[in-house]
């Protein structure tokens, strides 16, 4: 829990100083009015407001967001001695109790007990070299690790000294390493060679550097020089200083940064190129680095962290400014430009450049709930709060305008407006309208308007100021506020949002309805379906006459000449609500909501509305980006505004947030994705739900090229991670298991995917991730593995059984055909029998596809029977069982039993190995029967099956089972065709009617249709477009239809999809007259 | 609250399955409310009703998982038990991940179901107790006037009366007066109790303003 700091409260003035504040405030208003120099001079934009003498504001207004990791968060020890980033993207930290690999969320700790290759637990220094090796210097020896391979360096490799003070690497990959006990070693040709000690050497360690010529440098308080032709040559003569006050580092351009006492110098090839004197000595220097923005950072072991900005200003970060410990050791910049600071005693810290600056209690606000903001005409802002009236914010400091003193109590403001005559208008809860101008502050009683609560104040292009009161709309014209009524005498109560599109009309929303005021006539705007537009909270007029409307829960609406389009979550908008909306003039739209501020490209929004784009890519910015609260209020206006300098300002529940959209830098780095482990349970439990106490096995990288899991493996869990260090909690993951899944599916932030059971076979698991700004690593990571089959699941076994069955079938068929021959049946009869065999084969295949639906349909009545039987037992245990109830139970059991019988019956009918039998068939009943069987399959695939049967379908003559087979085949094909369509197109329509002399049945889908070049072959045997299809279904279907004297044709639908149509002739007697 | 008031909400689109489960649970001593669709259930569910939900997994329109999601979206903590015609693995895992209390097949023995419901009701009761404690503590904190909250903030940071007085720009005696009145309002005896009370309100921050 965070409580409001005492710092903020200390700035609050006592009641006696109200008069002084009032005078200052008058100056601001006058300043805005006649450009007299205001009392407070603006020192520039607030982010630069911190001068050389000022400390940065410690809170949300400073330019970095600081996060800490200590032992409580999983560090093995509270120090971070060194930081490195390996090419695979992981961050590595050294601590005195182990080497740590970090993915932004999880720490993996390596120490000698779990990693024997690591000689000691205390990691003193790390270095990532150009060849991909990570050097790890521990208290008990030096090792390298690359691609999971470890190598240790000892005296055999020329190593001398204790542990490493600093590493320097030349472009050719050679290293210069200094040790804490004063050794200097050159690493070249995979061996260390000790260099002779520089002059005045003792047992103290040097800091090393390599210059642009590739020369080694060694620096200490009594020596700063280069290694030239086999000897150390002093290059810089240092003044007499203690060991702690000299340090050095390497600048981004490769030059040497030397700290000596209060002096900071740049040296380039032995020549001093720049020099600066600090206002105070930095303290005991441990390391020096330069970041991407040109800040110099000096880590001291006693006085925190010093920052020297590119303009030369000097800041010191101590525990007051958010450091966890004053003893800092190293600063490392990762590939996303976050700065990582290691401390001795305070763990690890991340300095993340803040996207939003937030002004709250630390800046002088005594109330953090902000409702509305307006520019003050110069460099400041007027800020309306909910409780303590209005504040003036300038140069990062907020000063309260003493409304609460005038009102003798809290002032809850909704809306603020500065009009073209520089008057400031306030709309309040309970205290009506306030006006501030050069004459002072006045409360305008409800009076003519009769409203104590005003939700919005709005100025139109004619200079009229509008007030949305809780009971009526007010307008100020010619210096007087009056209630507004249109020509018909109508007004609108409770207006909370207004806008004026280019056509000169006014749009109003009172959260329940939207109105348009044009030529003094109020007209309600409704949806094309004539529903009211409710919960519209804000408007954004567009240049082309369109109007964007933000709603409370239903995303963004786009209105253009009567056409209404919606952009919401389904189109990729990350939040349901749009509370405030504005454009930054750089092509982006910014929307506020309860979940933060969304930034989206205007062109993308328009493309989504036009249907040219399916999904929006946009960023949801929240506390990870510097907001103190992501909750932005809605229901009044303006909740966001663009300042004259282009900065955007947002009201939030905890302070005023501001961002410079021009300086917004998208994190375009796709996050590296890694699979960290594959876990599985080797044996299958004996029975369903049996206690699962058996062991879990885990495989970890490096993975074998083809992992093979033993038969019966189950409970597979694959853990993975992606590396995004700016806001790892915002990473999104999608996974796909090939070949059983054909599309990516979202996997929420758990960073693992679980498969309870997988059939034997080959699989490829794929995972991909998007970083905090929604940029995907499309490639992701993949892991191929196989689940081995039990002997009876092997292909050989199945093939053997199949061969046996085929052989048996052949023998039987031969015997039968011989029998037939003996009975002298015609060849046509043989042909017909063969056809029946094939039809049966197809039916069994169709049923297999539906096994899971049938199981469900059968379990439904079986479960009910079980429940009823159990209920009956309970009932019989009662002293006086209710016989009526018992009878009802038995009746239900009987009914469910009948139902189960029907399901089995339907299955059997289809499975029966029938021959063509000509009988009169009720076509309507036939179609309904099949539809019932397929309906469940359709629903479980979230597809819709539409039956359109004309009321009196003619009876036909034919084989009922075979005709069912045709319908079943066409329906299942159509369901397969719509499988990958969006949900609203997953519809299959079966239409049947009686034509003049035939029954016509058509099955149409909204899938992708049949490619025209395939149309001619579609009825050929073994032609299939399905990965698991046999290519027999349509052939059989056509054979059957033709055997009945009808036709089966295929065509593409008028708009999309395919249409299969078959006819069966109506016998002359049954034909409709 | 009396646990007998807890209701088992049974949702199943199959009338016969719905009837049989309702019957069994009533006879097992539960108060049961049957619904034929997730839509009617969600529409008719009183917002604070204690109990648990037993739902079929596969239903037309709104299925069991969507029902669970709708409850979660509405912030309703009712535990959900799924019944399924077949143990369909991917949806089981999905449901359990989202905090399903239990997942049973339709043909599982009735005592499994009864046990699962007992566990769910116990969990629901526990959750409601926690929520009541939080809201009671919040209600107490709501009674403080802004100054008292500021003083409370100072006290909780371990600041002395005179430091708080300096922070707020008021007299030390006034701070003492606020301290007395706030401890009286909150009915606490010591600083430790005060800290416990504020912690049990589990506020993300102090409710200044609204």
């Amino acid at each position: 829990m965070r409580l409001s700091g005492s710092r903020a409260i200390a700035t609050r003035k006592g009641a006696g100083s109200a008069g002084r504040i009032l005078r200052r405030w008058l100056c601001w208003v006058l300043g805005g009015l006649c450009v007299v120099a205001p009392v407070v001079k603006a020192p520039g934009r607030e982010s630069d407001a911190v001068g050389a003498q000022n400390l940065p504001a410690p809170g949300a207004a400073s330019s970095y967001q600081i996060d800490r990791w200590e032992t409580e968060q999983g560090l093995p020890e509270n120090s971070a001695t060194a930081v490195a980033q390996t090419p695979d993207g992981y961050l590595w930290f050294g601590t005195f109790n182990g080497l740590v690999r970090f993915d932004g969320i999880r720490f993996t700790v390596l120490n000698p007990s779990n990693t024997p290759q690591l000689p000691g637990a205390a990691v003193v220094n790390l270095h990532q070299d150009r060849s991909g090796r990570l050097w790890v210097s521990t208290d008990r020896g030096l090792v390298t690790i690359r691609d999971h391979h470890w190598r240790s360096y000892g005296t055999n490799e020329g190593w001398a000294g204790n542990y490493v003070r600093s590493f320097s690497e030349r472009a050719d990959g050679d290293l210069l390493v200094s040790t804490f006990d004063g050794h200097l070693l050159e690493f070249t040709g995979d061996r260390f060679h000790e260099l002779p000690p520089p002059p005045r050497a003792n047992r103290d360690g040097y800091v090393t550097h390599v210059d642009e010529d590739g020369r080694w440098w060694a620096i200490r308080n009594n020596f700063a020089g280069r290694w030239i032709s086999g000897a150390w040559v002093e290059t810089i003569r240092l003044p007499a200083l203690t060991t702690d006050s000299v340090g050095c580092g390497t600048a981004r351009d490769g030059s040497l940064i030397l700290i000596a006492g209060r002096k900071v110098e740049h040296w380039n090839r032995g020549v001093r190129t720049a020099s600066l004197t600090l206002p105070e000595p930095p303290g005991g220097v441990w390391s020096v680095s330069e970041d991407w923005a040109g800040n110099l950072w000096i880590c001291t072991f006693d006085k925190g962290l010093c920052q020297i900005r590119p303009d030369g200003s000097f800041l010191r970060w101590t525990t007051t400014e958010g450091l966890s410990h004053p003893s800092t050791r190293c600063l490392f910049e990762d590939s996303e430009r976050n700065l990582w600071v290691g401390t001795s005693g305070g763990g690890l810290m991340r300095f993340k450049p803040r996207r939003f600056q937030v002004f709250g209690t630390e800046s002088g606000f005594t109330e953090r709930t902000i409702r509305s903001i307006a520019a003050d005409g110069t460099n400041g802002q007027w800020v309306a709060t909910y409780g303590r009236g209005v504040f003036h914010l300038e140069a990062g400091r907020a000063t309260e305008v003493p409304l609460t003193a005038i009102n003798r109590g809290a002032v809850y403001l909704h809306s603020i407006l500065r009009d073209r005559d520089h008057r400031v208008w306030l709309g309040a809860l309970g205290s009506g309208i306030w006006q501030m101008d050069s004459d002072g502050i006045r409360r305008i009683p409800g009076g003519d308007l009769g409203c104590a609560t005003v939700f919005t104040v709005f100025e139109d292009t004619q200079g009229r100021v509008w007030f949305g009161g809780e009971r009526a709309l007010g307008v100020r014209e010619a210096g007087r506020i009056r209630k507004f009524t249109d020509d018909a005498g109508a007004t609108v109560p409770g207006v909370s949002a207004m806008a004026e599109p280019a056509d000169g009309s006014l749009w109003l929303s009172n959260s329940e309805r939207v109105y348009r005021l044009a030529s003094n006539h109020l007209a309600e705007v409704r949806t094309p379906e004539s529903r009211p537009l409710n919960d519209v909270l804000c408007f954004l007029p567009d240049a082309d006459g369109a109007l964007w409307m933000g709603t409370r829960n239903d995303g963004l609406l786009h209105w253009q000449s009567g056409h209404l389009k919606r952009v919401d979550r389904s189109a990729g908008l990350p939040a349901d609500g749009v509370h405030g909306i504005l454009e930054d003039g750089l092509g982006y739209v910014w929307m506020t909501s309860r979940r933060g501020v969304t930034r989206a490209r205007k062109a993308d929004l328009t493309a989504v509305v036009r249907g040219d784009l399916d999904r929006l890519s946009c960023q949801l910015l929240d506390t990870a980006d510097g907001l103190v609260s992501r909750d932005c209020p809605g229901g009044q206006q303006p909740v966001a505004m663009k300042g004259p300098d282009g900065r955007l300002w947002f009201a939030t529940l905890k302070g005023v947030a501001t961002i410079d959209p021009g300086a917004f830098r998208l994190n375009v780095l796709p996050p590296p994705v890694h699979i960290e482990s594959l876990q599985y349970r080797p044996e299958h439990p004996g029975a369903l739900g049996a206690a699962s106490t058996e062991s879990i096995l885990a495989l970890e990288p490096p993975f074998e090229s083809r992992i093979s899991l033993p038969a019966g493996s189950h409970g597979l869990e694959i853990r993975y991670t992606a590396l995004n260090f700016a806001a790892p909690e915002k990473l999104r993951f999608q996974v796909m298991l090939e070949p059983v899944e054909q599309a990516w599916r979202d996997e929420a932030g758990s960073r693992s995917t679980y498969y309870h059971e997988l059939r034997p076979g080959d699989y490829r698991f794929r995972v991909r991730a998007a970083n905090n700004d929604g940029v995907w690593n499309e490639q992701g990571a993949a892991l191929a593995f196989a689940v081995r089959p039990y002997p009876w699941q092997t292909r050989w076994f199945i093939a053997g059984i199949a061969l046996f069955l085929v052989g048996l079938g052949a023998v039987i068929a031969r015997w039968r055909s011989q029998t037939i021959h003996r009975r002298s049946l015609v060849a046509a009869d043989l042909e017909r029998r063969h056809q029946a065999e094939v039809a049966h084969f197809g039916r069994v295949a169709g049923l297999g596809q539906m096994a899971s639906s049938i199981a469900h349909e059968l379990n439904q009545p079986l479960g009910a029977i079980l429940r009823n039987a159990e209920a009956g037992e309970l009932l019989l245990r009662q002293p006086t069982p209710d016989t009526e109830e018992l009878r009802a139970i038995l009746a239900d059991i009987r009914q469910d039993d009948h139902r189960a019988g029907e399901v089995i019956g339907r299955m059997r009918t289809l499975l029966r190995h029938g021959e063509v039998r000509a009988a009169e068939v009720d076509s309507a009943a036939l179609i309904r029967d099949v539809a019932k069987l397929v309906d469940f399959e359709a629903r479980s695939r979230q597809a819709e099956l539409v039956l359109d049967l004309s009321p009196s379908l003619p009876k036909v003559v034919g084989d009922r089972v075979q005709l069912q087979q045709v319908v079943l085949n066409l329906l299942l094909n159509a369901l397969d065709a719509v499988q990958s369509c969006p949900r609203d197109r997953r519809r299959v329509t079966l239409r049947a009617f009686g034509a003049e002399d035939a029954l016509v049945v058509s099955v149409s889908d909204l899938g992708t249709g049949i490619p025209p070049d395939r149309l001619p072959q579609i009825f050929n045997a073994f032609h299939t477009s399905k990965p698991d299809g046999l290519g027999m279904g349509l052939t059989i279907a056509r054979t059957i239809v033709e055997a009945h004297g009808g036709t089966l044709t295929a065509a593409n639908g008028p708009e999309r999809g395919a249409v299969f149509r078959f006819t069966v002739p109506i016998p002359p007697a049954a034909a409709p007259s | 609250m009396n646990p007998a008031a807890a209701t088992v909400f049974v949702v199943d689109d199959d009338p016969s399955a719905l009837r049989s489960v309702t019957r069994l649970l009533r006879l097992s001593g539960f108060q049961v409310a049957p619904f034929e669709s997730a839509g009617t259930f969600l529409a008719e569910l009183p917002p604070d009703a204690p109990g648990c939900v037993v739902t079929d997994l596969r239903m037309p329109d709104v299925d069991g998982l969507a029902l669970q999601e709708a409850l979660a979206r509405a912030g309703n903590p009712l535990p959900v038990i799924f019944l399924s015609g077949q143990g369909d693995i991917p949806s089981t895992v999905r449901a359990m991940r989202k905090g399903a209390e239990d997942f049973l097949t339709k043909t599982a023995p009735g005592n499994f179901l009864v046990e699962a419901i007992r566990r769910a009701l116990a969990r629901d009761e526990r959750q409601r107790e926690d929520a009541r404690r939080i809201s009671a503590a919040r209600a107490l904190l709501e009674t403080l006037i802004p100054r008292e909250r500021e003083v409370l903030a100072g006290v909780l940071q371990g600041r002395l009366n005179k430091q708080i007085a300096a922070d707020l720009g008021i007299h030390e005696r006034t701070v003492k007066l606020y301290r007395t009145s706030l401890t009286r309002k909150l009915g606490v005896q010591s600083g430790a109790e005060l800290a416990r009370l504020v912690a049990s309100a589990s506020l993300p921050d102090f409710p200044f303003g609204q």
Side-chain angles (χ1 to χ4, degrees), chain A residues 217 219 223-225 233-238 256 258 265 267 270:
Chain A
W217 283 69
I219 288 161
F223 178 81
V233 177
E234 187 160 19
T235 309
I236 305 171
R237 185 156 287 281
L238 293 170
L256 170 74
L258 179 71
E265 297 177 344
W267 287 78

Side-chain angles (χ1 to χ4, degrees), chain A residues 481-531:
Chain A
I481 299 175
R482 63 175 175 85
K483 177 176 167 184
F484 172 82
T485 50
D486 73 353
D487 288 342
T491 186
V492 184
V495 170
S496 58
M498 289 185 72
E500 189 177 9
D503 65 359
S505 64
L506 279 177
W507 286 62
L508 308 94
S509 167
N510 64 358
S511 298
E512 286 168 3
R513 278 156 205 279
V514 170
Y515 298 89
R516 183 167 179 268
L517 175 63
S519 27
N520 216 30
H521 173 70
L522 274 168
E524 193 192 336
V525 181
R526 288 177 167 254
T527 65
E529 300 82 38
S530 191
R531 278 200 295 272

Side-chain angles (χ1 to χ4, degrees), chain A residues 998-999 1038-1048 1061-1065:
Chain A
L999 165 74
R1038 180 174 256 188
T1039 318
I1040 293 173
V1041 170
E1042 285 173 353
H1044 283 81
T1047 53
L1048 170 61
R1061 173 198 293 261
F1062 73 85
T1063 59
V1064 180

Side-chain angles (χ1 to χ4, degrees), chain A residues 819-840:
Chain A
T819 315
I820 290 162
H821 257 295
R822 273 201 300 280
R823 291 183 188 169
S824 312
L825 281 176
V826 289
D829 192 37
L830 175 67
E831 177 64 21
R832 205 167 63 238
R833 276 169 191 283
H834 178 67
Q835 179 191 325
E837 297 265 355
V838 175
H840 172 72

Side-chain angles (χ1 to χ4, degrees), chain A residues 101 148 675-678 699-703:
Chain A
R101 194 185 69 181
H148 306 281
I675 292 175
E676 293 198 318
S677 75
L678 164 69
L699 301 176
E700 283 174 3
F703 293 110

Side-chain angles (χ1 to χ4, degrees), chain A residues 385-390 403-404 407 409-413 428-429 431 434:
Chain A
T385 71
Y386 207 59
R388 293 207 63 92
V390 69
L403 299 192
T404 47
N407 202 41
V411 179
Y412 297 96
L413 292 182
L429 167 82
S431 56
W434 294 71

Side-chain angles (χ1 to χ4, degrees), chain A residues 966-1003:
Chain A
V966 174
V967 178
L968 177 70
N969 185 285
L970 295 183
L971 285 177
L972 287 177
N973 280 351
L975 278 178
D976 285 341
V978 296
Q979 179 88 41
S980 51
C981 294
R983 205 174 155 172
D984 58 326
R985 279 208 266 115
R986 262 181 252 156
R987 194 184 319 128
V988 170
T989 310
L990 188 155
R991 196 164 284 127
F993 56 92
E996 209 170 300
D997 54 356
L999 165 74
V1000 182
V1001 180
S1002 71
V1003 174

